[in-house]
């Protein structure tokens, strides 16, 4: 076997343990020497955040709860001002991808270290990728300042997710794994992590969908959150391509729900790119999905877990579909294993929109 690749491991620490989030938060803040922390948690996460930080109240100097999806510029400015006014020396984010993203946008300009406690399977806590929406256009970038210094994973925090949100969030993580196979920085190490992530996520989502209880349910949740970690860590190195460019464009322009948009678009981008995948990657992805080919395996998984299937059901209108095609096409060329034309963008998005298109 002849190999020719480069791989840069990213700095950061992961602490994983069921029902241990509060203790792990305290130990990670202590380890990093953080004494004036801004807590970032949306209003829906306030009660959970209060419970998890009961033992470190003396270290929290302010709370920012103005979290919004896709991190609008006004939210970013407000969060940055709050951290500066309080003299914060670190950030503690407790919540989903939008919460992590808000902490990241503060870290981008301040350099403050982040301790991230994810409550969904977003995976963004493992990446140095930031996102900011200005005038309905979402901009993304990569900067090591936004990569959390510590990540606390506790499956007990995700086990209470409503079934629909768990499916969508899990498929968002799945999208990170799939795109890691063809991202601009993809290599054998990221593909290995991505395949393991796909396998863990699929098993966990099927356990969720089956209504498993007791030990089986706990094992499924552990698998889901472990898969999310693998998804984020593989995507962080491999980078983004066509799938994420589409989803970020649609989310920023039309305020579509982030995870659900990823879930709907993924099968269509995979079907488009499948013919261009190398034989080893195609086989690894198919095996991780327990199928003869990845497209069939992913579609079977979607059927098993009752996944969201169309952009129309997420609220996108026909007029917005056409606008969205134009927005994505204007960003071409996009890194991708197969060349993408404006007609290809239109075909992918029209298929994702659903029969109503």
């Amino acid at each position: 076997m002849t190999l020719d690749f480069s791989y840069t491991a990213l700095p950061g620490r992961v602490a994983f343990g069921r029902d241990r989030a509060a203790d792990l938060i305290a130990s990670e803040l202590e380890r990093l020497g953080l004494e004036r922390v801004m807590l970032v948690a949306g209003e829906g996460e306030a009660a959970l955040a209060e419970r998890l930080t009961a033992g470190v109240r003396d270290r929290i100097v302010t709370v920012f709860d103005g979290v919004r999806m896709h991190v609008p510029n006004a939210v970013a400015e407000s969060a940055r001002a709050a951290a500066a006014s309080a003299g914060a020396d670190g950030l503690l984010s407790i919540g989903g991808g939008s919460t992590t993203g808000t902490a990241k946008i503060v870290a981008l300009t301040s350099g403050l270290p982040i301790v991230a406690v994810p409550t969904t399977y977003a995976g963004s806590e493992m990446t140095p990728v930031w996102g900011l929406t200005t005038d309905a256009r979402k901009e993304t970038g990569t900067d090591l300042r936004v990569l959390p210094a510590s990540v606390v994973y506790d499956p007990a925090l995700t086990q209470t997710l409503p079934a629909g949100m768990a499916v969508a969030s899990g498929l968002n993580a799945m999208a990170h794994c799939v795109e890691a196979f063809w991202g601009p920085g993809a290599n054998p190490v990221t593909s290995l992590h991505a395949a393991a992530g796909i396998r863990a996520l699929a098993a966990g989502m099927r356990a969720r969908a089956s209504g498993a209880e007791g030990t089986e349910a706990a094992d499924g949740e552990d698998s889901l959150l472990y898969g999310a970690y693998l998804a984020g860590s593989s995507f962080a190195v491999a980078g983004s391509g066509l799938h994420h460019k589409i989803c970020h464009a649609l989310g920023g322009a039309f305020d579509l729900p982030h995870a659900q948009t990823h879930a709907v678009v993924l099968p269509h981008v995979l079907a488009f790119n499948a013919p261009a995948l190398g034989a080893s990657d195609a086989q690894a992805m198919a095996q991780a999905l327990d199928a003869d080919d990845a497209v069939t395996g992913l579609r079977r998984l979607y059927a098993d877990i009752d996944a969201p299937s169309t952009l129309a059901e997420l609220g996108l209108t026909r007029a917005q579909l056409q606008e969205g095609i134009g927005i994505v096409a204007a960003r071409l060329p996009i890194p991708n294993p197969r060349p993408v034309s404006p007609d290809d963008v239109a075909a992918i998005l029209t298929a994702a929109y659903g029969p109503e298109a």
Side-chain angles (χ1 to χ4, degrees):
M1 179 173 62
T2 301
L3 295 176
D4 184 4
F5 71 95
S6 61
Y7 174 79
T8 301
L10 296 175
R13 171 181 164 86
V14 168
F16 199 111
R18 174 174 287 276
D19 292 317
R20 295 187 59 209
D23 290 340
L24 291 174
I25 287 170
S27 63
E28 292 306 300
L29 293 180
E30 176 68 25
R31 187 181 67 83
L32 292 168
L34 301 180
E35 298 180 348
R36 297 185 58 80
V37 176
M38 181 169 86
L39 171 63
V40 182
E43 292 179 356
E45 298 145 348
L48 172 65
E50 183 175 359
R51 175 170 64 83
L52 294 181
T53 59
V56 293
R57 293 263 170 81
D58 58 327
R59 294 178 186 260
I60 296 175
V61 292
T62 191
V63 178
F64 182 81
D65 63 2
V67 173
R68 279 190 57 199
M69 192 167 54
H70 306 300
V71 195
N73 188 57
V75 170
E77 291 179 353
S78 179
R80 288 166 174 167
S85 176
D89 63 0
L91 306 164
L92 171 62
S93 67
I94 300 177
S98 298
T99 304
T100 305
T102 302
K104 283 183 170 186
I105 215 66
V106 175
L108 180 65
T109 53
S110 67
L112 295 177
I114 302 171
V115 175
V117 187
T119 59
T120 66
Y121 317 114
S124 62
E125 66 279 353
M126 292 304 303
T127 79
V129 179
W130 55 267
L132 179 68
T133 300
T134 305
D135 297 329
R137 294 295 181 267
K138 187 168 184 176
E139 173 191 6
T140 61
T142 300
D143 193 307
L144 282 176
R145 286 176 296 179
V146 311
L147 180 69
S150 295
V151 180
V152 171
Y153 284 111
D154 183 343
L157 304 184
T158 52
Q159 197 158 350
T160 56
L161 276 174
M165 188 62 230
V167 166
S169 187
L171 292 175
N172 181 19
M174 182 73 73
H176 296 337
C177 290
V178 171
E179 188 135 86
F181 277 95
W182 63 64
N187 60 69
V189 180
T190 55
S191 294
L192 182 68
H193 289 175
I198 288 173
R199 190 174 294 108
L201 289 164
M205 283 189 282
R206 283 193 165 101
R208 266 285 188 133
S210 72
E213 298 179 353
T215 301
E216 186 180 354
D219 288 347
E221 199 61 38
D222 284 9
S223 182
L224 258 172
L225 201 54
Y226 177 59
Y229 153 66
L230 290 169
S233 60
S234 57
F235 177 76
V237 175
S240 67
L242 179 62
H243 171 82
H244 280 76
K245 301 300 184 187
I246 288 174
C247 293
H248 288 161
L250 296 180
F254 309 116
D255 203 30
L256 294 180
H258 180 80
Q260 289 86 342
T261 303
H262 277 278
V264 169
V265 171
L266 178 61
H268 303 284
V269 176
L270 176 58
F272 177 77
N273 278 337
L277 291 178
S280 61
D281 282 345
Q283 182 180 27
M285 200 183 300
Q287 288 178 342
L289 288 164
D290 194 23
D292 292 332
D293 69 90
V295 174
T296 299
L298 190 65
R299 287 174 176 161
R300 185 184 302 150
L301 173 65
Y302 272 52
D304 290 346
I305 62 177
D306 193 25
S309 58
T310 71
L311 292 173
E313 70 185 70
L314 301 186
L316 193 74
T317 67
R318 288 188 181 127
Q320 289 172 331
L321 170 65
Q322 296 306 314
E323 184 182 349
I325 290 170
I327 292 171
V328 177
R331 299 187 177 188
L332 296 174
I334 293 172
N336 198 59
R338 179 180 173 185
V340 187
S341 70
D343 286 345
D344 294 327
V345 171
I348 291 168
L349 287 181
T350 300
Y353 185 82
E356 294 181 34

